Structure formats: structure tokens, C-alpha cells
Amino acid sequence: MELSKNYIPGTVEEKWYQHWMSKNYFKSFPDERPAFTIVIPPPNVTGVLHMGHTLNETVQDILARKARMSGFNVCWVPGSDHASIATEAKVVDMLKKEKGIDKKNLSREEFLKYAFEWKEKYGNIIYSQIEKLGCSVDWDRVSFTMDDHYYKAVIKVFVDLYKKGLIYRGARMINWDTAAKTALSDEEVEYKDVMGKLYYIKYPLNPSEEGVLQSSTAEDFIVIATQRPETIMGDVALCANPNDDRYTHLKGKKFLVPLINKEVPVIFDEYVDKDFGTGILKITPAHDINDFNIGLKHHLPVVDTLNEDGTLSEAAQIHIGEDRFVARKKIVEELREKGLLVKEEEYTTRLGYSQRTNVVVEPKISTQWFVKMKDLAKPALDEVLTENINIHPKDKFTATYKYWLENVKDWCISRQLWWGQQIPAWYDEEGKIYVAETEEEAIGQWSIVNSEKNSDSEIHNSSFTTDHSPLPTPHLTRDEDVLDTWFSSWLWPIEVFNGITQPDNKEINYYYPTSVLVTGQDIIFFWVARMIMAGMEFRNEKPFNDVYFTGMVRDKLGRKMSKSLGNSPDLLNLIHEYGADAVRFGIMISSPAGNDLLFDESSLEQGKHFNNKLWNALKLVKMWEENQAVGNGEGAMVNGEWAIQWFESRLSEARNEVDILMNQFRLSEALKTIYSLIWNDFCSWYLEWIKPEFGKPIDPAVYEKTVLFFDELLQMLHPFMPFITEEIYHLLKGRNDDLIVKQFSAAHKPDVDILKSGDKLKALITAIRDARNKNNLKPKESISLFIETTDEISYQPLKNILSKQVNADAILFNEKPVESSVTIVVGNEKIYLLSDAETDTEAQKEKLNKDLQYLKGFLISVDRKLSNDKFVQNAKPQVIELERKKKSDAEEKIRIIEQSLATIG
RNA sequence: GGGAGCAUAGCUCAGUUGGUUUAGAGCAUCUGCCUUACAAGCAGAGGGUCCGCGGUUCGAACCCGUGUGCUCCCACCA
């Protein structure tokens, strides 16, 4: 079979994915083997996968494939997240732009139909991307956070927590998204520094109050500073610090809110910073969390001057219906005209923006549903602190995890949206709440409550009536809101195995807890912490053993990937251009765990080159398949045996290193190790060492061994680059099995002595090549080598390799060349290169002098240590011994070099 | 304002409880090669005040203090 010049990934990748699927390699059923379970962090169905997902899925696939080749029953569950607010915002936007439909004009059912269509479209794109990337997920297990059983699980959990008293309904200050018209959790708000203005506004004294100000002031007003003049209509008090002498005399006085002349009292609270602004704070409980708290403390009313969409409400009295930012400008103008605006200052402030719609978030009083977090947080914290769950990298995230859980606040879980699980709460005409899994159950509860009420009233009326008229049909209305998307995601590792809806099924018992969670560090609180809470609360067991945090993917300038910057590449394009293996390689090679990844296409280029290197190694070995020596191996490499022993040891050494690195989740380093093993040790050294001269046959035993080595390298690389490795595995030799399921054998112990010989040989070759280079000896010009050594025997097995690698036609030991030659020093041995060509003695001298200088400096530093009494007294014996050896080695080398220099003259 | 992390070659990063040389890798750079697996390649080379300062130690890239710079998280003073 003719192999193409370069590796072409496209059809190969398609072919093998289909093959693996047809063999059901990705499918998993509970059996006797140990389980290795991964649940995919379900991507939001808001759009297509970006580079962050690519990194995540690649890491998971590497772990899954490695586990599969190590005898585990691997189950990787794919899926997607309905992403309540994010998706709803996209659908609303799409409807408006593409169909001219306003959500207001749709019924809930109609809207959900569109939303499901959207989910179908983007969900499928996401799944096809996961497939193209080569992810070995079990496609029979695709889960979605709004699947029927999943929906039921969420409802069940809500009811359960409500019954336990862990869910309550209450009026709180929440973050309000005026575009999506919904509450946001604290985590959904992003703060940005913005230039704003601080306005100083006069509040006049109520004219009905007389002579309250000290005569020295002589003015009947006080000045407050605010960034948000449009909220003054919601003011209910002015507040000063009780220790602020400037204002203590104002106690009991009343002032007027400008423009609307509403009377507000002066109160005192230590919360107020005397040194900020004027030292007086206006209290607007409806629109600021701190004001709200002060309001509660001082029993002040709440005046909400904003509508849900961010326009001013009737309570504002003026500018009703105008957007808050428009109203701000107008109010400032009006204040200025009335002479009530004292001054404006430039001021940098941090404003909260909605993560989903990017509008400025308004603090707003609202009745919402909350989860009490304190009791849930405790066990979740313990799991991590006791290292029952291991976080990687540990140092970086354990502290933040601990801090968040120790200071956790109640979780606002209701959202004023349609896309999501509708809150299972019903209200009767009196506003009484019934929380139940179904409407029937809610009605049942209502009946019980109302019949109790009837019997209560019977007792109190003390009128004995016997005719029990049937209870009237209840008019229950269901809560319109849906649940926060994370209130469904936190059940993910459990409910993908139906562990909430059927708590004792075979699957959940086998696959749970899952093995490892791979996710971005940005959702440690949103998701990771809450999954641990859910695991502990609903199954009394952690959801996963390990958590691997990937960093954020940035562009090569360190900027976040974003659509507006246009620096977020399209995954399918990249796969098309480089191949999935190269994309996986490129993204993994530069991605240490937990560090941000600076994405640069040049690393994909490197991956592509690596593919080609493997391809060419295949071509070389294939050539030998047809051209093997018969009989006693005439023309074969005599030193194949030694090369084989060396590579066997090198391979074992690397296998052990890679295993350790993989167990520590240091995947990037593991890949680097494999890359270097294949490119340098296998291709540049081993294959060159055993390669017969052109046209000559190879020794069959060497050939067979080489194929086995190649197999093992492919196996090591397969988790990282699955397609090309499977392809080469099959092209290398006719096979009945597939690489993807080939089980790792135990790694051997490397032979340390032979590795040392290998290092020596490599150093020798490099030094001689360097000398050739520096002396302008063309590769084709043959040389004779004269080696001065006390250990001639150790050279015997290396001789043939050495002469081939440096193009030497003769190697002589402990003889001096008669003619002038190039002299170099490698280790403790002096080597002469003799050739017919002119040699440049100046270049040699230069090199030798440089080495000499280095060695003398080195010797001084060693001597300094050894002549230091304290060092000799305190250092460990091995360390001293080592220094002595360094000293004698250096002295020996210096002697040889000086001798050489003398010879050259 | 509170906390965490980082700072090593042009770039991205390793560097294990302080001692294997005067610190390593990949990429990039430079030099020479179209040598029959591979120019998407081969061979070789150059490149570092381990952020500054101070301390502990016989010995510091590593430990301690301090300064500077960057990143992130939390809080959210009108």
C-alpha cells in the first residue's frame, strides 16, 4: 500500500470514530469491573462550543481513554444545560430580530416551543462538535437538564428542601436585571469600574420647622452626595453618624426631598462614614442594600420608585415611565435650574452588570424563593478540607472554596422567566402557599387545611351542625417563576443516573460517586460547591473523588476570548484546518492544570507537525516490513541488540514518568514527555541507530521489536491523539484488535546502567557532530576517530552506532593520530578527529579555551565549598562526597584540555 | 477595603522535603545541510542579575521579611 507523503487527518478521523461507535466501545453498563465515571459539565445550549469547552472536553477524553486502557469500565455521560436565563435571553433576542415577535405577545407554551426548537438546534451543534473532537462519550446517555425525569427530580428536590425548612419565601434585596426582568443571584452579577459622577444636592429644611439650624450656619438646608439622583424620590430619611458633631443638632428635624418636597426625618447610624461626601447619607431602602438594612433597623418605609423594566414608577411622582438613566439627566438639570445642585465631582465607581444581558443591575426589593445555605455548606466544606474530595491544583482553590462556604449567603433560586423548571408552589385566594410535586397534591393539601379550618370554626362557634357541605373547588394559581438554572445543575452527577427520581437503582449505585469532575475554575461556587452540597444532602455521599480545574482560555496577548474582539476561533474550522488530534495536542501542550491558557494557533501547527513525524516514522518502518534479512541477518545492523536494550529502558523510564504525571493530573507535562520520547528518543536516536544503509535489509528480530516499541508509543499517545494513533496502529501491521481498548501492560524497571551508556553515547555523538560543524567538515566527508579512554570495553557495543552517526570509517582506541587533527574533550575522554580536509585549529582552540574557562570557574566554586570548614562539618556525607567527585572530575578535565591545547600549539 | 496566587531564556512553562556542576524543556531565533521516513525535516549553536532589597543557612530559584509589578476572588461607602 502506498502511503501518502504527509498525514491527512480528515477522512481518517471520520472513519475511526464511526468504527469505535460501531464496536460500542463508548457504551457502558454496570459490570464486575471498577467504574470510571465522568459526567460532562453540560455546556449551555446558548450557542456553540468555544475554546474553553474544547480544553475541558479534551482533558476529560484523555482521562477517559487512559482509564479505558487501564481496565476500567469507563462511562462518560454527555449532555447539555438549559441555562435558563442565558438561553431565554438569546431566544427572546432571536424572536425579535428574526421573526419580529415580542415575548410579551406569546403565551408561556408558545414561547417554550420556540425555546425547545432553539435547544434542539444548538444542542445538536454542540454534540457534533464533541464528536468531531473525538470524545469517547456514551451517546446512549445524552442528558439534558430539562428532560422529563430530570424536571421531576428538580421539583422533588424543591419540595423535599421546602419540607425540611431549607427553602423559604421572603422579601429581600435582590439583584434585578431590567432587561430580562428577573432576579439574579449574586454570582450572576459582574462588577466593572466605571467613571461616574458624584452629585452634591441641597435638601431644604422643612419650612414648618423653625430656627433649628444654628445661626452661624444661616442656611436652611443640608447637602448630601449621591451618584444616583434619580433615586431621591425614594428617600425616606437622611442619616448622619451619631459621633459627627457637625450634625448632632439636627436630631428630630425634618427636611424636604427636592423636586417632590417630601418630608424626611434625620436619623443617626454609625454606618455612615463621616469623611465621605458631606457626611450625610440619604436613605433609599428600595434601591440600595445598605440603605435597606438601615431602613430595617430604623423601621423606615420602603418606597420603590422603579418599574421592573428600569423605568420610574408612579411612586417616583415625577418622570414616571422614563428610563432611569434618562430621568437621571433630567433631574440633574432640574436641580441645577432650581439652584439645588451644589457641585458635581468625577468619581470612579464599581457598577454591577448582568452576566447574561449586560445591563446595569438594580438592587431591588422583591419577594423571592431562597435556599438556606448554612446547613448545606458545612458537610460540603468538610469533604474538601478532609481531602475526601481532592481539588487540583489544590493550593490555588482550597482557600477560596473555604472562604466562600464559610461566608455563604442564602441562595435566591426564583427567576422571573419561563425557560426552566416552574416552581412547584400554588397559592390560594388568600395567598396561602402549597408546595407539592403536582397540582393534585397541592389541592389535596388545600383540602386538608380547609377542612381543618372548618372543623376549627365549628368548635369555636360551638354550634353543632351535622351537614358537612362539600368543600368548594379551590382556585389555586401556580407560581409563575422558574428555578435558577444551577438549582437543576447541582443535581447533575446524581440525576443523569436517575439517582433522585429512583434513589436505589442499579446505575446510581454502580457509577456514583463519579471519578473526576473537569471544569473551569470560574464556576467553583455556582456549580462545584453546590454539587457537593447536593451530593451530601441527597445521597449522603460526595459526587466525585477529584476535581480538576482548568484555567481560562485567553488569546496569545492574554485577553479574554470574546466575540467582540473576534479572537475566539471556531472549533470546527480549526479541526478542519489542523485535524482534531492537532487541536487536542495544541490545546493540551500549553495548558498546565489551573493556569490560564494562552491560546496560540502555532501550537496547533506544532501538533500538525507531530502528526507528520509519526506518519513518517510509520513510512520508514513499513519499508522494512518488506525488506527483512533472511537467514543470519546479512547486512543488518550488528548493534541492533544494544539499541533495543537501550530503548526498552528509555521507554520504561518514560512510562513510569508519564504514569506519575497522569495520576497527578499533570497532563500537559505528560504529553510533553511522550512528545519528546517519540520525537527525540525514538525517531532521532533509536530509529537512526537501527536504520540499515539504504536498500539493505533489516534484521527480522530488530524489526519485530521495533514494531512492538511503536505499538507501545502509540498506546501511550492514544489518549491525547486518538485518531492518528489508531490509524497507525492498524497500518503498521494487520490487526484484529483496536488500540482504543488495548490494555496497558505493567511497565518494566529501566536498566540504569544502560541508560547511562545511552546518555554517554548521545553526548559523544553530539560533541563530535559539533566539532565537525565548527570545522566545516561536510557530512559526507568521512573521519577517523581516536579515543583515549581507560574503559575501552564499554565502547564495544556502541562502536558501530557511533561510527554510523558521525560518519567515521574507523575508530581506534588509545592511539594518537600521527597527523594534525581536531581535538575535543567529552566527559573525561579525549577524542581526536582525523580527516583529509583542512581543519581550523583556531576554532578548536577557541572551543577548548571556553570549556577550560568554564571548568576553572566551576572548580573555584567547588573548592570554595570544600575548603569551608562549616560546610564539611554540617553537610550530609553524600553531599560532601559528591563535591569531592565534582572536584576530581573537573581537575581531570582541565588536565586533559590543557594537554590538548598544548598539542595544538 | 479583605484575601489568594504569580514573577525563571524573546514567548509559554518545568524546576519534588534547600545540596547531581555556574538553572532545564518546547516554541521562536541564528548557522550549516534538498543526507532515499520526514524541509511540516535533519545536524548544530547562541540566549538567563531565577523581579529589586534585606535576612536565615556551611549552602537559597526554593525558606523568612520587605518593596515593586501583574492576575484572580470576595466585599460594594453614598
Side-chain angles (χ1 to χ4, degrees):
Chain A
M1 187 170 101
E2 190 69 21
L3 295 173
S4 60
K5 183 173 183 319
N6 292 324
Y7 175 66
I8 303 158
T11 50
V12 170
E13 295 181 353
E14 187 75 31
K15 174 182 77 182
W16 286 113
Y17 203 85
Q18 291 311 317
H19 177 77
W20 295 329
M21 291 284 286
S22 72
K23 292 272 198 167
N24 292 332
Y25 290 141
F26 304 162
K27 285 193 185 168
S28 174
F29 306 96
D31 64 18
E32 298 308 309
R33 292 174 295 163
F36 185 90
T37 316
I38 300 181
V39 291
I40 202 169
N44 292 345
V45 289
T46 42
V48 302
L49 297 190
H50 53 66
M51 294 318 290
H53 294 114
T54 307
L55 169 62
N56 253 287
E57 317 315 5
T58 303
V59 168
Q60 290 169 79
D61 196 46
I62 290 164
L63 298 174
R65 285 177 185 269
K66 179 81 201 291
R68 194 176 289 114
M69 295 168 104
S70 306
F72 288 90
N73 181 353
V74 173
C75 178
W76 184 8
V77 180
S80 54
D81 192 311
H82 69 284
S84 179
I85 182 169
T87 307
E88 180 153 332
K90 293 257 181 185
V91 174
V92 167
D93 199 45
M94 178 276 289
L95 286 173
K96 196 179 283 172
K97 280 189 185 142
E98 288 176 21
K99 304 189 192 249
I101 299 173
D102 197 323
K103 184 189 162 194
K104 278 197 301 233
N105 302 325
L106 291 176
S107 70
R108 190 174 189 125
E109 286 66 34
E110 286 167 333
F111 179 81
L112 288 178
K113 207 175 130 252
Y114 285 118
F116 270 108
E117 279 170 15
W118 171 282
K119 174 255 159 183
E120 210 52 34
K121 179 179 166 190
Y122 285 96
N124 286 337
I125 295 175
I126 288 168
Y127 295 145
S128 83
Q129 287 179 308
I130 291 174
E131 181 183 324
K132 286 279 183 300
L133 197 59
C135 296
S136 56
V137 298
D138 184 347
W139 288 111
D140 290 345
R141 293 178 178 273
V142 175
S143 293
F144 178 57
T145 50
M146 290 242 285
D147 285 340
D148 285 346
H149 73 92
Y150 206 111
Y151 199 118
K152 285 195 188 109
V154 171
I155 298 300
K156 190 177 168 193
V157 158
F158 182 96
V159 174
D160 178 53
L161 290 177
Y162 181 79
K163 283 181 183 158
K164 287 177 182 162
L166 290 174
I167 284 185
Y168 64 92
R169 194 165 181 262
R172 286 294 166 90
M173 174 74 55
I174 47 89
N175 306 295
W176 185 260
D177 181 326
T178 56
K181 294 182 202 160
T182 177
L184 300 175
S185 68
D186 291 343
E187 288 78 15
E188 286 168 311
V189 180
E190 281 175 351
Y191 289 89
K192 294 179 200 167
D193 280 321
V194 181
M195 274 306 284
K197 276 190 176 147
L198 199 55
Y199 301 93
Y200 286 76
I201 301 170
K202 283 183 185 174
Y203 279 51
L205 180 70
N206 189 338
S208 62
E209 307 258 339
E210 283 170 15
V212 289
L213 294 171
Q214 286 178 350
S215 49
S216 60
T217 323
E219 300 229 23
D220 292 346
F221 61 84
I222 53 178
V223 177
I224 61 94
T226 180
Q227 293 178 61
R228 305 185 56 196
E230 76 280 9
T231 64
I232 60 173
M233 293 80 77
D235 290 354
V236 295
L238 297 176
C239 188
N241 191 301
N243 303 319
D244 191 343
D245 297 340
R246 294 174 295 175
Y247 299 115
T248 42
H249 65 281
L250 294 179
K251 194 169 181 186
K253 304 303 174 255
K254 294 195 162 62
F255 286 79
L256 294 178
V257 175
L259 306 183
I260 58 168
N261 292 325
K262 184 172 92 176
E263 188 187 78
V264 291
V266 176
I267 61 167
F268 296 90
D269 196 292
E270 299 201 334
Y271 169 79
V272 178
D273 180 353
K274 288 191 280 188
D275 300 324
F276 190 90
T278 59
I280 301 248
L281 175 64
K282 73 188 194 70
I283 304 295
T284 321
H287 301 291
D288 184 281
I289 179 67
N290 299 301
D291 292 13
F292 179 71
N293 291 334
I294 292 172
L296 281 180
K297 196 165 151 190
H298 295 268
H299 309 289
L300 297 169
V302 174
V303 180
D304 187 344
T305 58
L306 281 181
N307 290 318
E308 292 187 343
D309 61 359
T311 58
L312 269 56
S313 71
E314 292 196 5
Q317 301 180 40
I318 52 174
H319 300 292
I320 296 164
E322 285 182 20
D323 181 80
R324 59 202 195 280
F325 296 117
V326 175
R328 177 183 298 176
K329 277 188 190 152
K330 292 188 177 172
I331 286 168
V332 168
E333 274 321 300
E334 287 161 21
L335 289 170
R336 200 194 311 278
E337 280 164 21
K338 296 202 156 130
L340 295 172
L341 188 68
V342 181
K343 63 171 173 174
E344 298 170 37
E345 269 177 10
E346 294 286 314
Y347 186 71
T348 313
T349 186
R350 281 174 71 73
L351 278 185
Y353 287 80
S354 166
Q355 212 178 53
R356 303 305 182 191
T357 62
N358 208 30
V359 298
V360 175
V361 165
E362 288 293 332
K364 190 173 174 2
I365 300 295
S366 168
T367 303
Q368 302 287 344
W369 291 90
F370 293 88
V371 178
K372 282 188 195 164
M373 296 298 267
K374 267 249 133 40
D375 293 348
L376 293 173
K378 181 74 174 67
L381 180 58
D382 290 345
E383 286 299 293
V384 170
L385 292 186
T386 59
E387 297 187 12
N388 202 19
I389 294 175
N390 283 297
I391 290 180
H392 311 272
K394 187 175 144 198
D395 312 340
K396 226 168 175 172
F397 301 111
T398 312
T400 40
Y401 181 84
K402 182 166 180 266
Y403 183 85
W404 190 77
L405 283 180
E406 282 174 348
N407 297 282
V408 69
K409 289 191 282 180
D410 285 356
W411 176 15
C412 174
I413 51 169
S414 43
R415 296 289 183 276
Q416 290 63 52
L417 302 165
W418 283 343
W419 179 239
Q421 288 89 2
Q422 193 172 359
I423 291 176
W426 283 262
Y427 306 96
D428 66 15
E429 283 158 329
E430 294 164 24
K432 207 164 161 24
I433 302 167
Y434 305 91
V435 170
E437 288 184 39
T438 61
E439 185 160 10
E440 290 71 44
E441 276 180 43
I443 291 171
Q445 287 180 15
W446 177 88
S447 307
I448 294 166
V449 169
N450 281 273
S451 64
E452 276 170 3
K453 209 197 275 172
N454 280 4
S455 49
D456 278 359
S457 58
E458 280 166 19
I459 293 160
H460 291 293
N461 285 346
S462 70
S463 62
F464 296 86
T465 45
T466 44
D467 62 327
H468 278 266
S469 52
L471 291 165
T473 323
H475 292 284
L476 296 186
T477 48
R478 184 165 183 179
D479 196 309
E480 288 286 312
D481 293 355
V482 299
L483 289 158
D484 179 15
T485 204
W486 302 103
F487 193 83
S488 59
S489 320
W490 74 330
L491 307 176
W492 187 249
I494 305 175
E495 189 52 28
V496 295
F497 301 112
N498 300 291
I500 298 284
T501 40
Q502 301 164 48
D504 196 26
N505 78 71
K506 193 176 162 194
E507 294 236 316
I508 188 82
N509 291 336
Y510 180 72
Y511 291 116
Y512 190 94
T514 67
S515 305
V516 54
L517 174 78
V518 180
T519 191
Q521 49 184 281
D522 49 331
I523 52 176
I524 181 166
F525 305 132
F526 279 122
W527 195 44
V528 179
R530 286 174 185 157
M531 274 192 288
I532 299 174
M533 292 180 196
M536 300 312 289
E537 180 67 18
F538 305 120
R539 292 208 65 86
N540 203 21
E541 195 173 11
K542 62 185 171 179
F544 27 71
N545 297 319
D546 291 279
V547 183
Y548 175 108
F549 281 115
T550 57
M552 194 189 299
V553 180
R554 299 166 176 276
D555 70 6
K556 64 177 168 185
L557 300 175
R559 300 174 304 182
K560 275 190 187 179
M561 294 247 172
S562 77
K563 274 192 189 144
S564 54
L565 282 172
N567 58 356
S568 183
D570 177 72
L571 176 57
L572 292 180
N573 281 348
L574 290 177
I575 291 176
H576 182 73
E577 190 174 347
Y578 298 95
D581 285 327
V583 171
R584 294 166 62 116
F585 177 94
I587 205 156
M588 286 313 298
I589 200 76
S590 47
S591 155
N595 274 18
D596 283 356
L597 174 150
L598 302 189
F599 179 80
D600 185 349
E601 278 196 34
S602 68
S603 66
L604 273 59
E605 195 75 26
Q606 198 189 341
K608 198 169 151 186
H609 293 179
F610 187 37
N611 276 335
N612 212 41
K613 189 71 185 175
L614 287 160
W615 188 250
N616 278 294
L618 167 73
K619 276 161 50 181
L620 179 64
V621 177
K622 276 310 261 190
M623 279 170 48
W624 297 338
E625 189 180 31
E626 301 300 320
N627 194 10
Q628 296 180 47
V630 273
N632 210 13
E634 194 208 338
M637 279 298 299
V638 181
N639 280 343
E641 202 180 327
W642 186 88
I644 285 168
Q645 281 174 21
W646 172 78
F647 193 71
E648 212 151 45
S649 278
R650 180 66 199 103
L651 190 57
S652 306
E653 186 184 43
R655 275 272 308 272
N656 292 326
E657 281 170 27
V658 168
D659 278 347
I660 291 168
L661 291 169
M662 299 270 296
N663 288 336
Q664 296 172 336
F665 295 96
R666 297 166 74 171
L667 304 186
S668 162
E669 285 165 68
L671 177 57
K672 279 177 187 168
T673 305
I674 298 170
Y675 173 80
S676 162
L677 174 70
I678 291 176
W679 198 300
N680 300 321
D681 294 310
F682 187 62
C683 293
S684 296
W685 296 120
Y686 174 77
L687 289 180
E688 293 297 334
W689 290 353
I690 61 157
K691 186 159 90 178
E693 281 174 54
F694 178 65
K696 296 264 177 69
I698 194 164
D699 184 302
V702 174
Y703 167 75
E704 288 301 332
K705 206 67 193 171
T706 302
V707 170
L708 287 179
F709 288 153
F710 211 151
D711 277 357
E712 205 165 330
L713 293 171
L714 293 170
Q715 199 177 7
M716 288 173 79
L717 184 61
H718 180 263
F720 297 88
M721 302 175 81
F723 295 110
I724 188 171
T725 48
E726 186 76 85
E727 173 77 357
I728 293 180
Y729 183 70
H730 284 267
L731 288 174
L732 196 54
K733 201 177 161 184
R735 312 269 187 183
N736 295 319
D737 63 334
D738 293 317
L739 184 63
I740 183 177
V741 288
K742 191 175 156 86
Q743 299 297 298
F744 277 105
S745 56
H748 299 288
K749 256 197 156 172
D751 179 332
V752 180
D753 289 335
I754 206 158
L755 286 174
K756 265 189 197 156
S757 299
D759 289 342
K760 182 179 171 179
L761 176 60
K762 289 194 265 184
L764 214 53
I765 292 170
T766 302
I768 295 168
R769 280 172 175 170
D770 183 30
R772 293 186 62 118
N773 234 337
K774 293 228 160 67
N775 289 286
N776 292 320
L777 286 170
K778 298 271 181 255
K780 281 175 185 159
E781 289 178 61
S782 176
I783 54 167
S784 300
L785 282 182
F786 293 76
I787 300 173
E788 272 184 23
T789 178
T790 52
D791 189 16
E792 191 186 326
I793 299 161
S794 71
Y795 278 92
Q796 286 312 319
L798 314 177
K799 260 177 73 178
N800 283 6
I801 293 173
L802 182 59
S803 61
K804 177 165 132 67
Q805 293 291 285
V806 300
N807 191 17
D809 52 14
I811 300 180
L812 300 157
F813 292 94
N814 298 321
E815 284 179 41
K816 282 207 171 138
V818 267
E819 301 159 66
S820 77
S821 61
V822 175
T823 312
I824 58 169
V825 178
V826 183
N828 285 349
E829 287 159 357
K830 193 150 75 162
I831 295 164
Y832 307 92
L833 282 65
L834 184 66
S835 82
D836 298 338
E838 284 283 309
T839 54
D840 179 358
T841 52
E842 281 311 305
Q844 291 174 59
K845 272 201 217 159
E846 207 176 296
K847 167 86 169 119
L848 287 170
N849 272 319
K850 205 174 154 192
D851 288 353
L852 190 63
Q853 209 180 346
Y854 174 90
L855 283 165
K856 281 184 169 167
F858 174 62
L859 187 61
I860 289 167
S861 83
V862 176
D863 270 336
R864 206 164 27 218
K865 273 190 202 172
L866 285 169
S867 60
N868 184 335
D869 290 343
K870 286 182 177 168
F871 171 75
V872 181
Q873 281 161 24
N874 293 314
K876 282 182 245 167
Q878 309 94 289
V879 176
I880 298 170
E881 192 48 46
L882 192 68
E883 291 300 317
R884 295 224 165 95
K885 187 167 184 319
K886 284 183 201 168
K887 181 179 158 80
S888 62
D889 283 357
E891 282 167 348
E892 173 69 2
K893 282 181 199 170
I894 288 169
R895 192 185 59 78
I896 295 169
I897 290 175
E898 280 174 339
Q899 203 184 51
S900 305
L901 279 168
T903 322
I904 296 168

